[in-house]
Amino acid sequence: MPRVTLPDGSVKEFDGPAVTARQVAASIGAGLAKAAVGAKVDGVLVDLDRPIDHDVQVAIVTRPRKGTPLDKQDPDALYLLRHSTAHVMAEAIQRLWPDTLLAYGPPLDNGFYYDIALDTPISSDDFDKIEAEMKKIVEENRTFTRYELDPDAGMARLKDEGNKYKIDNAERAIDGGATTLSWYVTGEVDKNWEDLCMGPHVPATSDIGAFKVMSIASSNWHGDVESDRFQRVYGTAFYTQDDLDKYLEQLNEAKQRDHRVLGKKLHLFHIDEMVGQGLILWTPNGAIVRQVLQDFISSHLRRQGYSQVFTPHIGKLDLYKTSGHFPYYQDSQYPPLVERETLGGMAAEGCSCGDLANRMRDGEIDGYLLKPMNCPHHIKIYDSQPRSYRDLPIRLAEFGTVYRWEQSGEIGGMTRVRGFTQDDAHLFVTEDQLEDEVMGCLELVKIVFQAMGMTDYRVRVGLRDPDDSKYVGKPENWDKAEAACRKAAESLGVPFSAEPGEAAFYGPKIDFVVKDVIGRDWQLGTVQVDYNLPERFDLSYIGSDNAAHRPIMIHRAPFGSMERFIGCLIEHFAGAFPLWLAPEQMRVLPISDKFMDYAKKVHASLKVAGFRADLDDSPERLQAKIRNAQEMQVPYMLIVGGKDAEAGTVSIRDRRRGDLGALPVEKFIESAQREANTHGAESVEV
């Protein structure tokens, strides 16, 4: 007689040796039973008809209600749907190409894929017929039926089928401790299509609402380029056609906003293979955006009492051994550099690369490292002289460039790079100062988001996982640091989640996850509380009791990486930066050469006023000049002709609002300055 505890704390008892989540849902209400597609049983996602034979906690997973925004839909419900649709797509492919061997087909955050071994190349021209076959399977309304075999019987069945990839999957499952092997049949056992699978799935194919085959790529078994090559077919699925249409529209909008395309078109940055993958060349327009952002945050740093510092791009390996960054981050760092004399001597000894790496790791020889973090350098600045409690808090800020070795396949535009600049700062505070200083750091992040018009964000508090050995330091210090982060997050008045296992190895952190104008999430801005690095470096200050005390360290970066932040901004604004941030704020367009002298006077006045203004003195017609300025996303075009020259005015064209009318030059300058100074809260009006 299992007892089921529901999310609201109520308990239901059921007769008999077992009950299913479907029966639990029906006991609550017919509407819930109709909407149910699965369940969480003691936190584990399962099929709706999986037997429950002991006391458990159960939460019913339901399809999204009509009109639920895509980003608010239950990820568990989407997981079930997309896993099930992957099976339907695999069956459709095997119907069309019977010699297909299936390898692996997991759901993803935005869809699913299936790796298949097939000599016949599949192309986008085949997507329609795959979808047509999938539609037939969905309309057949076959149930997803699970059955299990013990390992011996299961392996015998797989060997009879002869699919070496499924045999390998099963062997890995057994090696991992699986006591049974499970299959899912789309229909009846020994009659319909089946696949070795752990599940779970929606109840039946008719629960699959809308789907689309999206793309095809190549892959390899277990990601090993030396292993078998597959075709990877991607798809996506939603419970309604309306939701699928919205998603496809969102994808199209994201494509139009791709920062890699806009960055090239607007001359913001360049990536050159001769320089290296993931290494950004900031061209003049992009450099302006970056410098304006740095100036913007620097004004607030001065207000909050920060001191600017500069540190080298390289440091001794021992520095990072003390901090713990080496070897903890070794796989994501550039290889250490060895002094020439040492390297020459070891080469003469016949030392292998492996011996060199071991001796560097063990500390027998030292080397240098392209810095992966700024914090050890700032720590040594703090430690460069005696400190008193009267000196604290000490706030050290730097736009510091760091280097990480990202895998080639993970590098992408400006959002995933190998060299990037952080708007980094480290605060050294007493315990009494910790709460106020964390709040000051959070204020900076909020100021940045407000200026960019990024008002839709949530907060994620990364905590340690007590069962993970990667975290360093005393548990009591972790408890205090985590409590400080939780309290700070609660004070923000926005949704926040606490996520164990997401802390840095030296301390908990507060991350800001921003939703852009088309609903995508970006992790921007972070604040971390750290009791551990001050201890590893034996930092101290003299307290009011004349005794030595250990400071607490706060790491914070409102922008995070300047490269990533600006890449996100390009997409957020679709390249149309607000006036205060635009590389070119306005362009003067003379109707013809007859008015060039007046156009030059207007241009000079704008430059004197401090605007980033250009003059189009090309021989092109006015409409071409307007089109060129519009394509470069110039906020304001100032058209000048005979009437303007006589009246001392400019005819204003806004890139979004179109023609606004004429204003005296001085009035336009005053109005544009207000717009820039208020970060767009006011705008030029005629």
Side-chain angles (χ1 to χ4, degrees), residues 566-581:
I566 292 175
C568 296
L569 279 189
I570 293 170
E571 299 196 2
H572 180 70
F573 292 123
F577 291 105
L579 180 67
W580 71 280
L581 200 51

Side-chain angles (χ1 to χ4, degrees), residues 91-164:
E91 180 178 357
I93 289 172
Q94 285 197 312
R95 280 185 178 183
L96 295 167
W97 294 277
D99 55 341
T100 299
L101 285 182
L102 302 176
Y104 183 57
L108 304 169
D109 288 343
N110 58 357
F112 56 87
Y113 71 80
Y114 220 112
D115 281 340
I116 62 171
L118 177 65
D119 291 336
T120 304
I122 294 177
S123 73
S124 57
D125 293 337
D126 298 311
F127 291 175
D128 286 346
K129 66 181 180 182
I130 295 173
E131 290 173 4
E133 204 64 38
M134 292 171 67
K135 186 177 180 181
K136 293 178 186 176
I137 296 168
V138 168
E139 291 174 347
E140 289 167 10
N141 189 21
R142 288 185 269 134
T143 59
F144 284 94
T145 306
R146 177 188 176 99
Y147 73 88
E148 297 181 357
L149 297 175
D150 64 62
D152 289 340
M155 290 302 299
R157 186 180 186 96
L158 289 170
K159 288 174 181 176
D160 286 342
E161 293 172 1
N163 184 333
K164 65 178 181 178

Side-chain angles (χ1 to χ4, degrees), residues 20-261:
T20 65
R22 186 191 298 275
Q23 291 170 316
V24 173
S27 74
I28 297 171
L32 180 63
K34 185 177 180 181
V37 291
K40 296 286 276 292
V41 175
D42 286 340
V44 178
L45 189 62
V46 301
D47 304 313
L48 205 54
D49 290 317
R50 188 81 63 87
I52 301 169
D53 59 5
H54 59 286
D55 295 350
V56 293
Q57 294 183 331
V58 172
I60 304 300
V61 176
T62 60
R63 68 182 68 243
R65 292 183 178 180
K66 185 177 181 180
T68 303
L70 299 185
D71 62 311
K72 303 296 183 186
Q73 296 189 6
D74 185 352
D76 290 326
L78 292 174
Y79 180 100
L80 290 163
L81 172 71
R82 289 165 179 170
H83 195 181
S84 304
T85 312
H87 276 224
V88 170
M89 185 180 75
E91 180 178 357
I93 289 172
Q94 285 197 312
R95 280 185 178 183
L96 295 167
W97 294 277
D99 55 341
T100 299
L101 285 182
L102 302 176
Y104 183 57
L108 304 169
D109 288 343
N110 58 357
F112 56 87
Y113 71 80
Y114 220 112
D115 281 340
I116 62 171
L118 177 65
D119 291 336
T120 304
I122 294 177
S123 73
S124 57
D125 293 337
D126 298 311
F127 291 175
D128 286 346
K129 66 181 180 182
I130 295 173
E131 290 173 4
E133 204 64 38
M134 292 171 67
K135 186 177 180 181
K136 293 178 186 176
I137 296 168
V138 168
E139 291 174 347
E140 289 167 10
N141 189 21
R142 288 185 269 134
T143 59
F144 284 94
T145 306
R146 177 188 176 99
Y147 73 88
E148 297 181 357
L149 297 175
D150 64 62
D152 289 340
M155 290 302 299
R157 186 180 186 96
L158 289 170
K159 288 174 181 176
D160 286 342
E161 293 172 1
N163 184 333
K164 65 178 181 178
Y165 306 115
K166 295 299 180 180
I167 292 171
D168 185 64
N169 284 339
E171 288 173 342
R172 287 170 178 266
I174 294 168
D175 290 343
T179 56
T180 61
L181 296 174
S182 58
W183 277 258
Y184 276 81
V185 184
T186 314
E188 298 179 32
V189 178
D190 293 328
K191 178 180 178 182
N192 295 114
W193 186 90
E194 66 176 44
D195 193 15
L196 178 74
C197 178
M198 293 175 61
H201 291 280
V202 295
T205 60
S206 59
D207 289 294
I208 297 172
F211 51 83
K212 186 172 180 60
V213 181
M214 300 293 292
S215 62
I216 191 159
S218 61
S219 62
N220 295 88
W221 188 228
H222 301 313
D224 181 0
V225 294
E226 303 297 326
S227 188
D228 291 6
R229 196 165 184 80
F230 296 137
Q231 297 183 69
R232 176 170 290 182
V233 188
Y234 286 95
T236 193
F238 289 87
Y239 282 95
T240 68
Q241 185 63 46
D242 185 53
D243 285 342
L244 175 60
D245 291 342
K246 287 177 182 176
Y247 174 72
L248 296 176
E249 181 182 340
Q250 189 182 89
L251 281 185
N252 184 60
E253 179 69 15
K255 185 178 179 180
Q256 301 300 317
R257 292 170 177 265
D258 189 328
H259 75 279
R260 294 165 295 186
V261 176

Side-chain angles (χ1 to χ4, degrees), residues 123-414:
S123 73
S124 57
D125 293 337
D126 298 311
F127 291 175
D128 286 346
K129 66 181 180 182
I130 295 173
E131 290 173 4
E133 204 64 38
M134 292 171 67
K135 186 177 180 181
K136 293 178 186 176
I137 296 168
V138 168
E139 291 174 347
E140 289 167 10
N141 189 21
R142 288 185 269 134
T143 59
F144 284 94
T145 306
R146 177 188 176 99
Y147 73 88
E148 297 181 357
L149 297 175
D150 64 62
D152 289 340
M155 290 302 299
R157 186 180 186 96
L158 289 170
K159 288 174 181 176
D160 286 342
E161 293 172 1
N163 184 333
K164 65 178 181 178
Y165 306 115
K166 295 299 180 180
I167 292 171
D168 185 64
N169 284 339
E171 288 173 342
R172 287 170 178 266
I174 294 168
D175 290 343
T179 56
T180 61
L181 296 174
S182 58
W183 277 258
Y184 276 81
V185 184
T186 314
E188 298 179 32
V189 178
D190 293 328
K191 178 180 178 182
N192 295 114
W193 186 90
E194 66 176 44
D195 193 15
L196 178 74
C197 178
M198 293 175 61
H201 291 280
V202 295
T205 60
S206 59
D207 289 294
I208 297 172
F211 51 83
K212 186 172 180 60
V213 181
M214 300 293 292
S215 62
I216 191 159
S218 61
S219 62
N220 295 88
W221 188 228
H222 301 313
D224 181 0
V225 294
E226 303 297 326
S227 188
D228 291 6
R229 196 165 184 80
F230 296 137
Q231 297 183 69
R232 176 170 290 182
V233 188
Y234 286 95
T236 193
F238 289 87
Y239 282 95
T240 68
Q241 185 63 46
D242 185 53
D243 285 342
L244 175 60
D245 291 342
K246 287 177 182 176
Y247 174 72
L248 296 176
E249 181 182 340
Q250 189 182 89
L251 281 185
N252 184 60
E253 179 69 15
K255 185 178 179 180
Q256 301 300 317
R257 292 170 177 265
D258 189 328
H259 75 279
R260 294 165 295 186
V261 176
L262 291 174
K264 183 176 183 179
K265 177 183 175 182
L266 301 176
H267 311 309
L268 296 170
F269 67 94
H270 177 60
I271 301 172
D272 195 291
E273 286 297 319
M274 287 190 70
V275 175
Q277 284 189 329
L279 301 173
I280 303 298
L281 299 173
W282 292 87
T283 48
N285 281 357
I288 289 171
V289 177
R290 172 170 164 166
Q291 189 61 56
V292 171
L293 286 174
Q294 290 186 189
D295 292 344
F296 166 74
I297 197 67
S298 293
S299 67
H300 290 286
L301 296 182
R302 288 190 293 272
R303 175 178 58 82
Q304 287 197 356
Y306 281 79
S307 298
Q308 184 76 40
V309 298
F310 298 93
T311 62
H313 292 235
I314 191 170
K316 290 187 72 173
L317 192 57
D318 192 51
L319 176 70
Y320 295 100
K321 288 179 180 176
T322 301
S323 70
H325 292 103
F326 186 89
Y328 179 76
Y329 282 117
Q330 187 172 0
D331 290 343
S332 59
Q333 295 166 356
Y334 277 83
L337 307 172
V338 183
E339 290 183 352
R340 186 171 300 170
E341 294 82 0
T342 303
L343 192 60
M346 296 184 70
E349 296 173 9
C351 177
S352 69
C353 292
D355 291 337
L356 174 61
N358 291 335
R359 290 171 69 175
M360 295 185 78
R361 184 194 62 219
D362 297 340
E364 292 181 37
I365 59 172
D366 203 355
Y368 289 84
L369 198 64
L370 283 172
K371 67 175 177 180
M373 299 281 190
N374 296 303
C375 36
H377 293 256
H378 291 186
I379 287 171
K380 298 311 290 184
I381 291 176
Y382 173 90
D383 202 33
S384 63
Q385 63 188 76
R387 305 292 183 178
S388 161
Y389 73 98
R390 298 181 186 277
D391 301 323
L392 273 58
I394 290 173
R395 310 178 186 95
L396 304 179
E398 176 182 18
F399 292 98
T401 302
V402 298
Y403 303 90
R404 309 277 176 81
W405 181 257
E406 300 286 358
Q407 298 297 318
S408 297
E410 297 176 346
I411 294 172
M414 296 180 79

